[in-house]
Coordinates of all heavy atoms in Angstrom, one line a residue:
M707 N 90.7 68.0 101.6 CA 91.7 67.0 102.1 C 92.1 67.5 103.5 O 92.4 68.7 103.7 CB 92.9 67.0 101.1 CG 93.9 65.9 101.5 SD 95.1 65.6 100.2 CE 96.4 66.7 100.8
D708 N 92.2 66.6 104.4 CA 92.6 66.9 105.8 C 94.1 67.1 105.8 O 94.9 66.5 105.0 CB 92.3 65.9 106.7 CG 90.8 65.8 107.0 OD1 90.1 66.8 106.7 OD2 90.3 64.7 107.4
C709 N 94.6 67.9 106.6 CA 96.1 68.2 106.8 C 96.7 67.0 107.6 O 96.3 66.9 108.8 CB 96.3 69.5 107.4 SG 98.1 69.8 107.7
V710 N 97.6 66.3 107.1 CA 98.2 65.2 107.8 C 99.1 65.7 109.0 O 99.4 64.9 109.9 CB 98.9 64.2 106.9 CG1 98.0 63.6 105.9 CG2 100.1 64.9 106.2
N711 N 99.5 66.9 108.9 CA 100.5 67.5 109.9 C 99.8 68.4 110.9 O 100.5 69.0 111.7 CB 101.6 68.3 109.2 CG 102.5 67.4 108.3 OD1 102.8 66.2 108.8 ND2 102.8 67.8 107.1
Q712 N 98.5 68.5 110.9 CA 97.8 69.4 111.8 C 98.1 69.3 113.2 O 98.4 70.2 113.9 CB 96.3 69.4 111.5 CG 95.5 70.5 112.4 CD 94.1 70.5 112.0 OE1 93.5 69.7 111.4 NE2 93.4 71.6 112.5
K713 N 98.1 68.0 113.7 CA 98.4 67.8 115.1 C 99.8 68.2 115.5 O 100.0 68.9 116.5 CB 98.1 66.3 115.4 CG 98.2 66.0 116.9 CD 97.8 64.6 117.2 CE 97.8 64.2 118.7 NZ 97.5 62.8 118.9
K714 N 100.7 67.8 114.6 CA 102.2 68.2 114.9 C 102.3 69.7 114.8 O 103.0 70.3 115.6 CB 103.0 67.4 113.9 CG 104.5 67.6 114.0 CD 105.4 66.8 113.1 CE 105.3 67.3 111.7 NZ 106.1 66.5 110.8
N715 N 101.7 70.3 113.8 CA 101.9 71.8 113.7 C 101.2 72.5 114.8 O 101.8 73.5 115.4 CB 101.2 72.2 112.4 CG 101.9 71.7 111.1 OD1 103.1 71.4 111.2 ND2 101.2 71.8 110.0
S716 N 100.1 72.0 115.3 CA 99.4 72.6 116.4 C 100.2 72.6 117.7 O 100.2 73.5 118.5 CB 98.0 72.0 116.6 OG 97.1 72.3 115.6
A717 N 101.0 71.5 117.9 CA 101.8 71.4 119.1 C 102.8 72.5 119.2 O 103.3 72.8 120.3 CB 102.4 70.0 119.1
R718 N 103.3 73.0 118.1 CA 104.3 74.0 118.1 C 103.9 75.4 117.6 O 104.7 76.3 117.5 CB 105.6 73.5 117.3 CG 105.3 73.3 115.8 CD 106.5 72.8 115.1 NE 106.2 72.6 113.7 CZ 107.0 72.0 112.9 NH1 108.1 71.5 113.3 NH2 106.7 71.9 111.6
C719 N 102.6 75.5 117.4 CA 102.0 76.8 117.0 C 101.8 77.7 118.2 O 101.3 77.3 119.2 CB 100.6 76.6 116.3 SG 99.8 78.1 115.8
N720 N 102.3 79.0 118.0 CA 102.2 79.9 119.2 C 100.9 80.8 119.1 O 100.7 81.6 119.9 CB 103.4 80.9 119.2 CG 103.4 81.8 118.0 OD1 102.8 81.6 116.9 ND2 104.0 83.0 118.1
C721 N 100.0 80.5 118.2 CA 98.8 81.4 118.0 C 97.9 81.1 119.2 O 97.5 79.9 119.5 CB 98.1 81.1 116.7 SG 96.7 82.2 116.5
S722 N 97.4 82.2 119.8 CA 96.5 82.1 121.0 C 95.1 82.5 120.6 O 94.3 82.5 121.5 CB 97.0 82.9 122.2 OG 97.1 84.3 121.8
Y723 N 94.9 82.8 119.4 CA 93.5 83.2 119.0 C 92.6 82.0 119.1 O 92.8 81.0 118.4 CB 93.5 83.8 117.6 CG 92.3 84.5 117.2 CD1 92.0 85.8 117.6 CD2 91.3 83.8 116.4 CE1 90.8 86.4 117.2 CE2 90.1 84.4 116.1 CZ 89.9 85.7 116.5 OH 88.7 86.3 116.1
P724 N 91.5 82.2 119.9 CA 90.7 81.0 120.1 C 89.7 80.7 118.9 O 89.2 81.6 118.3 CB 89.9 81.4 121.3 CG 89.8 82.9 121.3 CD 91.1 83.3 120.6
G725 N 89.5 79.4 118.7 CA 88.5 79.0 117.8 C 88.8 79.1 116.3 O 87.9 79.0 115.5
C726 N 90.0 79.3 115.9 CA 90.4 79.5 114.5 C 90.4 78.1 113.9 O 91.2 77.2 114.3 CB 91.7 80.2 114.3 SG 92.2 80.4 112.6
S727 N 89.7 77.9 112.8 CA 89.6 76.6 112.1 C 90.9 76.3 111.3 O 91.1 75.2 110.9 CB 88.5 76.6 111.1 OG 88.6 77.7 110.1
R728 N 91.8 77.3 111.2 CA 93.1 77.1 110.4 C 94.2 76.8 111.4 O 95.3 76.5 110.9 CB 93.4 78.4 109.7 CG 92.5 78.7 108.5 CD 92.8 80.0 107.9 NE 92.2 81.1 108.7 CZ 91.0 81.5 108.7 NH1 90.1 81.0 107.8 NH2 90.6 82.5 109.5
H729 N 94.0 76.7 112.6 CA 95.0 76.4 113.6 C 95.7 75.0 113.3 O 95.0 74.0 113.2 CB 94.5 76.3 115.0 CG 95.5 76.5 116.1 ND1 96.2 75.4 116.6 CD2 96.0 77.5 116.7 CE1 97.1 75.8 117.5 NE2 97.0 77.1 117.6
G730 N 97.0 75.1 113.1 CA 97.7 73.9 112.7 C 97.7 73.5 111.2 O 98.4 72.6 110.8
I731 N 96.9 74.3 110.5 CA 96.9 74.0 109.0 C 97.7 75.2 108.4 O 97.1 76.2 108.0 CB 95.5 73.9 108.5 CG1 94.7 72.9 109.3 CG2 95.5 73.6 107.0 CD1 93.2 72.8 108.9
C732 N 99.0 75.1 108.4 CA 99.9 76.2 108.1 C 99.6 76.8 106.7 O 99.6 78.0 106.5 CB 101.3 75.8 108.2 SG 101.7 75.3 109.9
C733 N 99.3 76.0 105.7 CA 99.1 76.5 104.3 C 97.9 77.4 104.3 O 97.9 78.5 103.7 CB 99.0 75.4 103.3 SG 97.8 74.2 103.7
E734 N 96.8 77.0 105.0 CA 95.6 77.9 105.1 C 95.9 79.1 105.9 O 95.3 80.2 105.6 CB 94.4 77.1 105.6 CG 94.0 76.0 104.7 CD 92.7 75.3 105.1 OE1 92.1 75.8 106.1 OE2 92.3 74.3 104.5
C735 N 96.6 79.0 107.0 CA 96.9 80.1 107.8 C 97.7 81.2 107.1 O 97.4 82.4 107.1 CB 97.7 79.6 109.0 SG 98.3 80.8 110.2
I736 N 98.8 80.8 106.4 CA 99.6 81.7 105.6 C 98.8 82.3 104.5 O 98.8 83.5 104.3 CB 100.8 81.0 105.0 CG1 101.8 80.6 106.2 CG2 101.5 81.9 104.0 CD1 102.8 79.6 105.8
S737 N 98.0 81.5 103.8 CA 97.2 82.1 102.7 C 96.2 83.1 103.2 O 96.0 84.2 102.6 CB 96.4 80.9 102.0 OG 95.6 81.4 101.0
Y738 N 95.5 82.8 104.3 CA 94.5 83.7 104.9 C 95.2 85.1 105.2 O 94.7 86.1 104.8 CB 93.9 83.1 106.1 CG 93.0 84.1 106.9 CD1 91.7 84.2 106.5 CD2 93.5 84.8 108.0 CE1 90.8 85.1 107.1 CE2 92.6 85.7 108.6 CZ 91.3 85.8 108.2 OH 90.5 86.7 108.9
H739 N 96.3 85.0 106.0 CA 96.9 86.3 106.4 C 97.6 87.0 105.2 O 97.6 88.2 105.2 CB 97.9 86.0 107.6 CG 97.2 85.8 108.8 ND1 96.5 86.7 109.5 CD2 97.0 84.6 109.6 CE1 95.9 86.3 110.6 NE2 96.2 85.0 110.6
R740 N 98.1 86.3 104.3 CA 98.7 86.9 103.1 C 97.7 87.7 102.3 O 97.9 88.8 101.9 CB 99.4 85.8 102.2 CG 100.1 86.4 101.0 CD 100.6 85.3 100.1 NE 101.0 85.9 98.8 CZ 102.3 85.9 98.4 NH1 103.2 85.3 99.1 NH2 102.6 86.5 97.3
N741 N 96.5 87.1 102.2 CA 95.4 87.7 101.5 C 94.9 89.0 102.2 O 94.2 89.8 101.6 CB 94.2 86.8 101.3 CG 94.4 85.8 100.3 OD1 95.3 85.9 99.4 ND2 93.7 84.6 100.3
H742 N 95.3 89.1 103.5 CA 94.9 90.3 104.3 C 96.2 91.2 104.5 O 96.2 92.1 105.4 CB 94.3 90.0 105.6 CG 92.9 89.3 105.5 ND1 92.7 88.0 105.2 CD2 91.7 89.9 105.5 CE1 91.4 87.8 105.1 NE2 90.8 88.9 105.3
S743 N 97.2 91.0 103.7 CA 98.5 91.7 103.9 C 99.0 91.6 105.3 O 99.5 92.6 105.9 CB 98.3 93.2 103.5 OG 98.0 93.3 102.2
E744 N 99.0 90.4 105.8 CA 99.4 90.1 107.2 C 100.4 88.9 107.2 O 100.6 88.3 106.2 CB 98.2 89.8 108.1 CG 97.2 90.9 108.2 CD 95.9 90.5 109.0 OE1 95.7 89.3 109.1 OE2 95.2 91.4 109.4
L745 N 100.9 88.7 108.4 CA 101.7 87.5 108.6 C 101.1 86.7 109.7 O 100.4 87.1 110.5 CB 103.1 88.0 109.1 CG 104.0 88.8 108.1 CD1 105.1 89.5 108.9 CD2 104.5 87.9 107.0
P746 N 101.4 85.4 109.6 CA 100.8 84.5 110.7 C 101.5 84.7 112.0 O 102.5 85.3 112.2 CB 101.1 83.1 110.1 CG 102.2 83.2 109.2 CD 102.2 84.6 108.6
A747 N 100.8 84.1 113.0 CA 101.3 84.3 114.4 C 102.7 84.0 114.7 O 103.4 84.6 115.5 CB 100.4 83.5 115.4
C748 N 103.2 83.0 114.0 CA 104.5 82.5 114.3 C 105.7 83.4 113.9 O 106.8 83.2 114.3 CB 104.7 81.1 113.6 SG 104.4 81.1 111.8
Y749 N 105.3 84.6 113.3 CA 106.3 85.6 113.0 C 106.5 86.5 114.2 O 107.5 87.2 114.3 CB 105.9 86.5 111.8 CG 106.3 85.9 110.5 CD1 105.6 84.8 109.9 CD2 107.4 86.4 109.8 CE1 106.0 84.3 108.7 CE2 107.8 85.9 108.6 CZ 107.1 84.8 108.1 OH 107.5 84.3 106.9
F750 N 105.6 86.4 115.2 CA 105.6 87.4 116.3 C 106.1 86.8 117.6 O 105.9 85.5 117.8 CB 104.2 88.0 116.4 CG 103.8 88.7 115.2 CD1 103.0 88.1 114.2 CD2 104.1 90.1 115.0 CE1 102.6 88.8 113.1 CE2 103.7 90.8 113.9 CZ 102.9 90.1 112.9
S751 N 106.6 87.6 118.5 CA 106.9 87.2 119.8 C 105.6 86.9 120.6 O 104.5 87.2 120.1 CB 107.7 88.2 120.6 OG 106.8 89.3 120.8
A752 N 105.7 86.2 121.7 CA 104.5 85.9 122.5 C 103.7 87.2 122.8 O 102.5 87.2 122.7 CB 104.9 85.1 123.8
A753 N 104.4 88.2 123.3 CA 103.7 89.4 123.6 C 103.1 90.1 122.4 O 101.9 90.6 122.5 CB 104.7 90.4 124.3
E754 N 103.8 90.1 121.3 CA 103.2 90.7 120.1 C 102.0 89.9 119.6 O 101.0 90.4 119.2 CB 104.3 90.7 119.0 CG 105.4 91.7 119.2 CD 106.6 91.4 118.4 OE1 106.6 90.4 117.6 OE2 107.6 92.2 118.4
E755 N 102.2 88.6 119.7 CA 101.1 87.7 119.2 C 99.8 87.9 119.9 O 98.7 87.9 119.3 CB 101.6 86.2 119.3 CG 100.7 85.2 118.7 CD 99.4 84.9 119.5 OE1 99.5 84.9 120.7 OE2 98.4 84.7 118.9
R756 N 99.9 88.2 121.2 CA 98.7 88.4 122.0 C 97.9 89.6 121.6 O 96.8 89.8 122.0 CB 99.0 88.4 123.5 CG 99.3 87.0 124.0 CD 99.4 87.0 125.6 NE 100.4 87.8 126.1 CZ 101.7 87.4 126.3 NH1 102.0 86.1 126.0 NH2 102.6 88.2 126.8
T757 N 98.5 90.5 120.9 CA 97.8 91.7 120.5 C 96.8 91.4 119.3 O 95.9 92.2 119.0 CB 98.7 92.9 120.0 OG1 99.4 92.4 118.7 CG2 99.8 93.2 121.0
Y758 N 97.0 90.3 118.6 CA 96.3 89.9 117.4 C 96.5 90.8 116.3 O 95.7 90.7 115.3 CB 94.8 89.7 117.7 CG 94.5 88.6 118.8 CD1 93.5 88.7 119.7 CD2 95.3 87.4 118.9 CE1 93.2 87.8 120.7 CE2 95.1 86.5 119.8 CZ 94.0 86.7 120.7 OH 93.8 85.7 121.7
N759 N 97.4 91.7 116.4 CA 97.8 92.6 115.2 C 98.7 91.8 114.4 O 99.9 91.6 114.7 CB 98.4 93.9 115.7 CG 98.6 94.8 114.6 OD1 98.6 94.5 113.4 ND2 98.9 96.1 114.9
R760 N 98.3 91.3 113.2 CA 99.1 90.5 112.3 C 99.6 91.3 111.1 O 100.1 90.7 110.2 CB 98.3 89.3 111.8 CG 97.6 88.5 112.9 CD 98.6 87.6 113.6 NE 97.8 86.6 114.4 CZ 97.9 86.4 115.7 NH1 98.7 87.2 116.4 NH2 97.3 85.4 116.3
S761 N 99.5 92.6 111.2 CA 99.9 93.4 110.0 C 101.4 93.4 109.8 O 102.2 93.3 110.7 CB 99.4 94.9 110.2 OG 100.1 95.5 111.2
I762 N 101.7 93.5 108.5 CA 103.2 93.6 108.2 C 103.8 94.9 108.8 O 104.9 94.8 109.3 CB 103.3 93.6 106.7 CG1 102.9 92.2 106.1 CG2 104.8 93.8 106.2 CD1 102.8 92.1 104.6
S763 N 103.0 96.0 108.8 CA 103.6 97.2 109.3 C 103.9 97.1 110.8 O 104.9 97.6 111.3 CB 102.6 98.4 109.1 OG 101.4 98.2 109.7
Y764 N 103.0 96.3 111.6 CA 103.3 96.1 113.0 C 104.5 95.3 113.2 O 105.4 95.5 114.0 CB 102.1 95.4 113.6 CG 102.2 95.1 115.1 CD1 102.5 96.1 116.0 CD2 102.2 93.8 115.5 CE1 102.7 95.8 117.4 CE2 102.3 93.5 116.9 CZ 102.6 94.5 117.8 OH 102.7 94.2 119.1
F765 N 104.7 94.2 112.3 CA 105.9 93.4 112.4 C 107.1 94.2 112.1 O 108.1 94.1 112.9 CB 105.8 92.3 111.3 CG 107.0 91.4 111.3 CD1 107.2 90.4 112.2 CD2 107.9 91.6 110.2 CE1 108.4 89.6 112.1 CE2 109.1 90.8 110.2 CZ 109.3 89.8 111.1
V766 N 107.1 95.0 111.1 CA 108.3 95.8 110.8 C 108.6 96.8 111.8 O 109.7 97.0 112.3 CB 108.2 96.5 109.4 CG1 109.3 97.5 109.1 CG2 108.1 95.4 108.3
G767 N 107.5 97.5 112.3 CA 107.7 98.5 113.3 C 108.2 98.0 114.6 O 109.0 98.6 115.3
S768 N 107.8 96.8 115.0 CA 108.2 96.2 116.2 C 109.7 95.8 116.2 O 110.3 95.7 117.2 CB 107.4 95.0 116.6 OG 107.5 94.0 115.7
R769 N 110.3 95.7 115.0 CA 111.7 95.3 114.9 C 112.5 96.6 114.9 O 113.7 96.5 115.2 CB 112.0 94.5 113.6 CG 111.9 93.1 113.8 CD 110.6 92.5 113.8 NE 110.5 91.2 114.4 CZ 109.4 90.8 115.1 NH1 108.4 91.7 115.3 NH2 109.3 89.6 115.6
R770 N 112.0 97.7 114.7 CA 112.8 99.0 114.7 C 112.9 99.6 116.1 O 113.8 100.4 116.3 CB 112.1 100.0 113.7 CG 112.2 99.6 112.3 CD 111.7 100.7 111.4 NE 112.0 100.4 110.0 CZ 111.3 100.9 109.0 NH1 110.4 101.8 109.2 NH2 111.6 100.6 107.8
S771 N 112.0 99.2 117.0 CA 112.0 99.8 118.3 C 113.0 99.1 119.2 O 113.5 98.1 119.0 CB 110.6 99.9 118.9 OG 110.1 98.6 118.9
Ligands
LIG950 S1 97.7 82.9 112.9 FE1 95.6 83.5 112.2 S2 95.0 81.9 110.7 FE2 96.8 81.2 111.8 S3 95.9 79.9 113.5 FE3 96.2 82.0 114.3 S4 94.3 83.2 113.9 FE4 94.3 81.3 112.7

């Protein structure tokens, strides 16, 4: 089933990773990163997001500094 909100979600998605088939399909994005013990791009600042490090430890560590 296609995501009816993909276009709207993509317009406000901060992920800069090119060519991802999950872009704008938030349920698949969250599921993918959760299965890798990660968080999706929208948890991170623009600078953090560009590192492509989606790990939970990076997220927590970047809030402590
Ligand atoms: S956060 Fe990950 S799954 Fe989501 S659009 Fe970006 S690269 Fe794809």
Side-chain angles (χ1 to χ4, degrees):
M707 188 171 95
D708 291 338
C709 176
V710 297
N711 293 319
Q712 184 174 10
K713 190 174 178 183
K714 184 173 71 176
N715 292 343
S716 289
R718 61 185 181 189
C719 177
N720 70 334
C721 183
S722 63
Y723 190 80
C726 179
S727 62
R728 290 172 285 275
H729 197 275
I731 308 174
C732 299
C733 55
E734 290 187 10
C735 176
I736 291 168
S737 178
Y738 174 82
H739 285 291
R740 183 184 170 118
N741 286 338
H742 291 83
S743 299
E744 296 174 343
L745 294 166
C748 51
Y749 274 77
F750 299 92
S751 69
E754 293 165 353
E755 188 282 323
R756 284 193 296 272
T757 69
Y758 299 144
N759 185 346
R760 310 284 194 239
S761 68
I762 293 171
S763 60
Y764 178 60
F765 175 81
V766 172
S768 65
R769 264 84 199 145
R770 288 187 174 160
S771 55

